[in-house]
Amino acid sequence: MSSPGGPGLAWERGTARVLHEGRPVGVAFLIPGRLLLTCAHVISSLAGLPDDQPLPARFPVTVDFPLLPGHPKAAATVHFSVPVAADNSGDVAVLRLTDDLPTGAVAMRILEADDLAGHRWRAFGFPRYPGAGGSKDAGVWTRGTVEGREGTGWWQLTCDEQAGFPLAGGFSGAPVWDEEYQGVIGVVVAVEGDQRRRTGYALTVESLAREWPQLRSRLLDDSPFRELLPFTEHDSAVFHGRTEETRRLLELLGEQQVPILPVLGASGVGKSSLTGAGLLARVDQDRHLIARLPHGLRLTAEELLAWALASAGDADTRTADWHDHWSALARRLADEEGLRTAVEQTLARHHERSKLLLVLDQFETLLADAPETARKLDAMLGVVTMRRTDGSRPAQAVVVSRIDFLPQIEQLPHLRAAWEATHVVVPPMTRDQLCAAITRPLAGHAGIRFADGLVERLLHDTPHGAAALPMLEYTLSQLWARQERGVLTAGAYQELGGVEGALVGNAERTLWEWADSTEHEALERIFIQLVRPAERLDVGERGPDTRRVADRSEFSEHDWSLIHRLASTRLVVVTRRPTGLDTAELAHQALVESWPRLQSWVERNRDFRSWQEELRRTVRAWQERGRPRELTLDRHRADEAKRWLGARAAEISAEEAEFVEASIQVQRRTARRRRLVLAGFALLAVLVLVVSSLASRNARTSSEQRDLAAVERLTTQSQLHALSDPALAARLALAAQRIHPTADTRTRLLTTLSSPLRATLTGHSRSVNSVAVSPDGGTLATGGVDRTVRLWDVRARRQIATLTGHTQQVNSVAFSPDGRILATAGDGRQARLWDVRTHRELATFTGHTDWVQSVAFTPDGNTLATSARDTTARLWGVRTHRELATLTGHTATVLSAAISPDGQTVATGGEDRTVRLWDVRTHRQLAILTGHTGTVWWVDFGPDGKTLATSSNDATARLWDTDLFNDLGTLVDRACAAAGRSMTEREWHRYVPAGVTYRRICP
């Protein structure tokens, strides 16, 4: 919804007269959602009811729009109302249009503000004044000043002396337009009976929203933030922070005239938004005809390109003949001549445009699901972007993809050449860019602002990396929705859980508040279909899980109806297609990377979904190539498919089941033929033996040559995998040694075994912050920014379990001395205890008021120490699950805590540049160690407990003697050694106050 440019334009588009027998009785105005807002007493006068009586539901009302051409009329009914109460509250009526919205009508922008005293306002109404000609049925303007709130909470409005018409009864329901903030701040509800006072009153937006809570969401429809949706060319006014990147894309497309422009970047970095609101919004619209290829549809390359051409220039795809036009066009794109002709004809239909701009967003979906289709599209792009005989290009293409698909892109000739010529990679936003993305969208919303200090906090809390941007944008959208009187508040930010907690927290609340308990199993079934499980890489690691576009045919009728309801949560986007090929997808990849519940669902179903995705790729290739028998499943894969069909038939589509059945039939026919062939082979066995004996003599030489070639290849591969997968490197080196033992193969084998790297453990989707090894060395625990803790079998080098529950990143993990309990801490102000064997959460320790940074057990395992950003360290009973003590003294974040081997002393270090020692039993501070000139990052005791090591960003590590703080005798001995001798009587009398008897201070 566009904001009105001024009061005249706003009233022309949004003001309506409420009519009774053709004459106005009051005013109403458009708000988002085909609704009209007015006063209940205006409608009561139509219904012949007292003002304090409820209005009949769906009571019919006729309105017209007097400032639109032709004064179009429209029918409406009462949608919601609150009658006038004894204390003058209420008096709200909401009407719903039952006719089409008149051409040119636009909803007004409404804003909630607090202190408006002194602001200038305007209003438009249909009053009746005494005397001849006093009825102003055509409408008149008046204006004045907001005096402030009066006793009932209404705005008190004073009309200017120079205004020709004061407020009167016919202004009831009129929107009050604030000239400074350029929006509606209230609704005229009453006027003084003595018009000489030139005073009226207006319901505040706050009171309107209190009477009708749904109004708040209507008011926020013009949010400048986009939740998880990409910015489009229509959002350029609120898209900020990418000026330089936009300039670079425009230069490549316009000045350098590149035929194909690949735009690559990490997931979540904002590639689609940069392309839409940056590039497409600023290309020459009079010259370029934009055509978008749909993503996520299982169509051929010809059908995808035909779709783009048939819908170019935002052509209406809902017309009756669009499908036939699209199908016919697809058939004509089979050869180069047909491609060129189709492009020229498309441009001819839009005769004012001279160049076609093809946009292929989320190209990685094709690279993953239909690599053959992607290869064909690459060839087609090469044809349509070739220069004409006059040197001009009929078309250019923008291809947007995740950069982790670069190896696949480099297999496509035209895209590879384009990448080598441009190398456009969208980087994560800098702090200044993020600041612009946060603050500048509010420039078009006068009267709305961030609470003091909130912008700085948002910048501080936004994590580094590409995934930060969608989380930040979602947080900003939620803050907008929770604004109070025009202020985006710190309180709302706290409730959301910060930048990293808003998305996950809201997803959890939304889903479980929205879903019936009987639907939880169906939700898991649906959501795992919207995620593509990661593929195993060549080096034994696993890539990232990614969102995918799911086809309507992949769901049952019940689940698809549930998906349509899910769309209201904004976690899932459903796209209606003119061909009936409806699709569903997650709103953003950030949900896959940040939502622990979804990650646990994917992990639990990984084997099934990995098998199913591989099956779908095989089915697609089988269909595209005319269903040849050689592309059906072999015996092993057919047996595996039968097992999955038996276990999860409800989640396997009819198309997939049909392919499995076709494969089974092929295997049966193959088995029958095999039995016949075996009989023939038996007759030839003797001949084969004779021939082979003769040939073996000649084969020895060639066999040796093959062995040498194999050894060379294995040795080279072993060297390549030495760092990424040492186990594989060892196997390759050992194979070379077995095939043909030489001095070289022996050296390679020894080199491989001497490498210190034993395994690379993958599974976390973002940075790993902390690791801990169990006392028996058998289990590894890791905690990361993806909010999960993972347990690994060290010997088998595989993941054992994923522990979910943290709502923000995990900063520290530690095993108890017996290895049975794992402690974890993170940015959610909590520490947690877990049973290592059952993977069950045992306890949650709450008390810290800011992020918990570290955890450490006492040697007996009975006490846990934590440190946090709230400047405290705390001690907890591991068995009682209760807080034992709060250790206060640090003046800034406490980053690290360690416990001495005897369990008597806690050491802490932090941003205040100090190290502090505490008595575990008495909770008393023993000492403050100063000397570091920067933040102290880590503290740790030596095995005997007598030495403490600390590290700092002052570029030093320091060793401290802790005996000095625990043994008074040792402390005195060390002091005497440092002094060199005892103090003389002369020194004593010089430095010690008179009256104190001299004594030897050292032996």
Side-chain angles (χ1 to χ4, degrees), residues 94-132:
V94 181
L95 312 178
R96 181 182 293 280
L97 288 174
T98 56
D99 290 341
D100 291 337
L101 196 66
T103 301
V106 173
M108 289 191 189
R109 177 179 172 233
I110 307 177
L111 58 91
E112 187 177 5
D114 191 9
D115 185 9
L116 296 175
H119 279 226
R120 299 289 297 165
W121 60 266
R122 295 190 73 183
F124 186 78
F126 312 96
R128 295 183 181 180
Y129 300 109

Side-chain angles (χ1 to χ4, degrees), residues 470-494:
M471 288 192 287
L472 174 63
E473 190 69 19
Y474 188 84
T475 303
L476 292 169
S477 299
Q478 294 301 308
L479 287 173
W480 175 274
R482 289 166 170 77
Q483 64 179 264
E484 297 177 11
R485 298 183 178 181
V487 179
L488 280 61
T489 67
Y493 180 72
Q494 194 78 13

Side-chain angles (χ1 to χ4, degrees), residues 791 820-822 833-842:
L791 299 179
R820 296 180 180 178
I821 297 175
L822 180 72
L833 297 182
W834 308 81
D835 187 308
V836 174
R837 183 178 61 83
T838 65
H839 313 146
R840 184 171 58 87
E841 185 177 328
L842 300 176

Side-chain angles (χ1 to χ4, degrees), residues 971-982:
L971 178 61
V972 171
D973 290 344
R974 291 289 180 85
C976 286
R981 58 177 172 78
S982 186

Side-chain angles (χ1 to χ4, degrees), residues 345-396:
Q345 289 178 345
T346 301
L347 288 171
R349 287 198 305 274
H350 301 80
H351 52 82
E352 71 281 5
R353 317 283 178 87
S354 60
K355 180 167 292 187
L356 184 71
L357 183 56
L358 292 166
V359 181
L360 293 77
D361 198 2
Q362 298 186 39
F363 192 66
E364 67 270 8
T365 59
L366 277 179
L367 293 170
D369 293 339
E372 286 302 317
T373 302
R375 184 173 297 279
K376 184 67 179 294
L377 269 175
D378 177 70
M380 297 170 81
L381 290 180
V383 173
V384 300
T385 59
M386 287 178 62
R387 294 187 184 274
R388 301 182 179 101
T389 55
D390 63 1
S392 63
R393 294 189 192 278
Q396 292 174 282

